[in-house]
Amino acid sequence: MKRLKTIPKPYVPIKEGDIPKAVADLVLEEYTRSCITVAVSRPQRAHHPGWGTPGSQYEGIRFRNAILDTIADVDKLARTFLPDLPPLRPHRPMIDHLKRLDFVLLQNDSTRLRTYHSLVEQARYDEEEPTEADWEKCQEVVGQLRSILKFYIEAGAAGGVGGENASDDLETPEASPVPPPYAPLLSFASP
């Protein structure tokens, strides 16, 4: 018993000289088995629902959070375009919040706002995690909404409606922008 206490704790006797051969073989066999078990159980290409695939451009992105984070960006741009927009309330449907901007956001594509609304509602309430395709669709729609709102904000700033620096802090859209056939609607944007 005294001899066991003299052995340092981190030391594991696995050589034949330390212990009898039969015991050394048993320790080595169990050590090898546990190493194989660890190596086999380690995930090779794990994909978790709702997260970007490892090695892809979306690696490390949780789609539910990313979709919900777009709400603040769209609200900021909408508020820049229309300052008297009611405050954004938690869990208020985006289609209701942006209702006053229908005349701008729905041109050329009447489903744009409904698509964004359904993606946000899915991210908020659905048990099933959003997919990579949902995130790509959200990026596309948010990019279109940004480009439309930026166009009107810049047009209003150039016309003296939004002030001189109304578009200085606006980000460029990440998705493909919508071509700007918005000139006929500029009369709605200015008071």
Side-chain angles (χ1 to χ4, degrees):
M1 197 65 170
K2 286 183 181 182
R3 286 184 116 186
L4 288 177
K5 290 182 181 179
T6 62
I7 299 174
K9 295 287 183 200
Y11 178 73
V12 178
I14 56 170
K15 296 180 182 170
E16 280 188 45
D18 298 335
I19 49 179
K21 181 177 177 5
V23 175
D25 290 343
L26 180 64
V27 169
L28 185 61
E29 182 181 322
E30 290 301 313
Y31 180 72
T32 305
R33 188 177 66 84
S34 63
C35 288
I36 291 171
T37 303
V38 167
V40 168
S41 66
R42 192 170 292 154
Q44 304 301 319
R45 290 274 296 165
H47 178 265
H48 301 286
W51 287 83
T53 306
S56 74
Q57 63 181 355
Y58 303 125
E59 181 176 9
I61 295 177
R62 183 168 185 229
F63 301 131
R64 183 178 306 268
N65 292 349
I67 290 171
L68 293 176
D69 288 344
T70 63
I71 295 172
D73 297 336
V74 171
D75 181 57
K76 179 183 175 186
L77 275 175
R79 203 165 294 292
T80 303
F81 175 69
L82 190 63
D84 62 339
L85 193 67
L88 180 63
R89 293 182 306 203
H91 306 293
R92 181 177 185 188
M94 287 305 292
I95 204 160
D96 293 343
H97 179 65
L98 299 174
K99 188 86 169 148
R100 295 180 63 195
L101 298 174
D102 276 357
F103 67 95
V104 173
L105 298 177
L106 294 182
Q107 58 186 325
N108 295 339
D109 185 2
S110 62
T111 62
R112 184 181 297 125
L113 196 53
R114 290 185 196 283
T115 302
Y116 181 61
H117 167 72
S118 68
L119 289 167
V120 167
E121 293 299 303
Q122 176 191 3
R124 279 182 176 161
Y125 303 115
D126 201 355
E127 288 181 18
E128 187 176 317
E129 292 290 331
T131 63
E132 203 166 290
D134 294 334
W135 171 238
E136 288 173 350
K137 185 66 176 171
C138 182
Q139 281 185 310
E140 177 187 338
V141 171
V142 168
Q144 292 172 355
L145 295 174
R146 282 181 183 160
S147 66
I148 291 169
L149 289 170
K150 278 185 64 179
F151 175 80
Y152 280 112
I153 291 167
E154 290 170 1
V161 176
E164 292 179 17
N165 299 325
S167 63
D168 286 351
D169 63 338
L170 301 178
E171 300 172 13
T172 57
E174 296 169 8
S176 59
V178 177
Y182 315 124
L185 292 176
L186 283 177
S187 59
F188 292 116
S190 57

